[in-house]
Structure formats: C-alpha cells, structure tokens
Amino acid sequence: MSKILIIDDDLEICSLVKRALEKEGHQVTSQPDPIQAESMPLDLFDLILLDVMMPGKDGFTLCRDIRERVDCPILFLTAKTEECDLMQGLGNGGDDYITKPFGIGELRARVAAHLRRETREKKHRMSIGVFQFELGAKKMFCREKEILLTKSEYTICEYLALNCGQVFSKERIYEHVFGFDGESDSSAITEHVKNIRAKCQKSGENPIETVWGIGYRWKKG
C-alpha cells in the first residue's frame, strides 16, 4: 500500500481519484487548498497528484516550492489547453503529467508505473530504526532529514549499520575506512564517532554504542 496525496480544488475529481486508487489498495488523502497543502507533512507521501490551475497558487509554483522537501514522484493533472506550459512544470520538479479528462485505467496505470520505479530505485536504500541510508548517494537521514556527514563519518556509519549489533574495534573500523595504508591511527575513529554523535543528537538520537574495552556497534532497534 502506498500513500498518495491529491491536491486539486475540484472536489469531484478528488473524489473520483480517491475512489479509483483506494480500490487498488492505496491510502489516498485529498487536499483542495494548495496553500494548506504546503503545511502538510508532505514527506510522508509516496506520490503526489497535483492540479495545475488552482486559486491561490498554481500547481507549477507549488511544485517548485515543495520539491526541496519531497523526493517522491509529482504528477500534474492538466487540461489539454495547458500542455504548452508543461515544460515549465517539469522544469520545476514535476515527473509526469496526466491530461484531463483522463480515464480511470490510464490514471491507475500511470500511478502504478511511477510507484514501481520508486520501489526499484529504493532497493539501494536501507532503513534501520529511525535512520535511512541512500547507499548510492552516500547519504544518511534521520526520520527522512539528512544528517550532513563527512565522507569518513558516513563510511563509519554505513559500516556499523550494515553490521548492526556487531561490535568492531577501533582498529577494525579504521582499516575499513582508511585502509591498511592510512596515515593516521585508530584514535581518529574516536573523534569521528564523537562528531557523528554530536550531529545525530541534534535529532535526539545516538545510534552508535560504545562497548567498553572492545569498540563500537550500531544499536539495534
């Protein structure tokens, strides 16, 4: 089941889309007011359907304003007469568009295609508790908010998280991060862990546990 948000001031379309996608097993939320939509927890949704012509703020502008907060697919619902403006919308961060009037079959197919693509891409994403790792991009997040780490700090976190619960000595971690030819010594790991903890604690978390006399491990749960 995916969480889908539709932002459209046409209540009939909202109702139609909601019924159609809920029959596919999705959880659908509708919001007719684009201004109020901006204050919603948009990062919780797996896909957003966004009308173009709305009072208060058009869909292209709203897409641009929220794109930095969400990485899910955004699909425009657009009238045929607006197609000439779609390059602007796609340039503002949209992924695709569905032309009104649309059939239920087309809607379901387009939504399913984008959700399948997201599933494939997120195979390179790992979650442990409240932490998420983008393995390809070498980024770590806490509750979907990125924690800015240096390359070495990220490598330590990824190594411990991939082996969650297993204890590693500072020497073993150092060899993994810097190799056998590293120019420093294992005491550098202590400083890196200290920095990682300081950054994570801003989110109220401390994922790395010290096992006294042995080394460190990523906490389970």
Side-chain angles (χ1 to χ4, degrees):
M1 178 186 72
S2 298
K3 295 181 179 178
I4 297 174
L5 173 65
I6 174 171
I7 306 171
D8 194 321
D9 63 309
D10 188 326
L11 299 182
E12 289 188 8
I13 288 183
C14 285
S15 179
L16 174 69
V17 171
K18 184 177 175 69
R19 288 197 307 270
L21 296 180
E22 284 180 341
K23 286 183 179 179
E24 297 291 298
H26 301 304
Q27 181 180 328
V28 183
T29 301
S30 61
Q31 172 55 260
D33 187 334
I35 304 300
Q36 291 186 23
E38 286 190 87
S39 62
M40 296 176 68
L42 299 174
D43 58 314
L44 299 181
F45 294 97
D46 300 302
L47 183 141
I48 296 174
L49 292 166
L50 181 55
D51 185 33
V52 173
M53 296 302 295
M54 293 182 289
K57 177 173 284 193
D58 67 86
F60 294 153
T61 302
L62 179 58
C63 178
R64 181 196 64 203
D65 292 345
I66 66 175
R67 184 34 106 186
E68 290 188 358
R69 295 166 48 197
V70 298
D71 61 0
C72 70
I74 297 177
L75 279 62
F76 293 115
L77 302 177
T78 175
K80 188 77 173 177
T81 55
E82 298 156 5
E83 284 194 28
C84 60
D85 299 319
L86 280 171
M87 291 304 294
Q88 173 193 346
L90 297 178
N92 283 346
D95 294 277
D96 200 355
Y97 66 93
I98 302 174
T99 304
K100 298 178 182 178
F102 50 80
I104 295 302
E106 179 190 4
L107 172 70
R108 289 173 174 166
R110 299 285 279 280
V111 167
H114 281 276
L115 291 174
R116 281 196 303 271
R117 187 182 70 182
E118 286 294 290
T119 301
R120 288 196 299 269
E121 290 177 351
K122 288 179 180 178
K123 286 182 179 178
H124 298 291
R125 184 180 176 93
M126 175 182 70
S127 295
I128 297 183
V130 298
F131 289 89
Q132 301 82 39
F133 292 80
E134 293 284 3
L135 301 178
K138 302 298 182 184
K139 294 181 179 181
M140 186 175 84
F141 303 80
C142 180
R143 298 184 184 89
E144 304 298 335
K145 181 178 181 180
E146 185 178 1
I147 297 176
L148 298 177
L149 301 172
T150 66
K151 181 179 179 181
S152 298
E153 290 166 357
Y154 173 83
T155 305
I156 292 170
C157 288
E158 182 185 281
Y159 182 55
L160 294 178
L162 286 170
N163 298 279
C164 183
Q166 186 174 344
V167 182
F168 293 96
S169 67
K170 290 187 291 184
E171 291 76 14
R172 177 76 176 275
I173 297 170
Y174 181 85
E175 289 174 3
H176 176 78
V177 176
F178 301 104
F180 291 100
D181 299 323
E183 297 179 356
S184 184
D185 59 52
S186 61
S187 63
I189 299 301
T190 302
E191 292 302 312
H192 283 309
V193 169
K194 185 187 300 182
N195 291 336
I196 293 166
R197 285 172 170 163
K199 293 177 180 181
C200 291
Q201 283 171 350
K202 293 179 181 179
S203 300
E205 299 293 336
N206 180 17
I208 298 179
E209 181 179 12
T210 299
V211 180
W212 295 106
I214 304 177
Y216 301 103
R217 67 182 171 196
W218 192 273
K219 293 179 183 177
K220 291 184 176 180

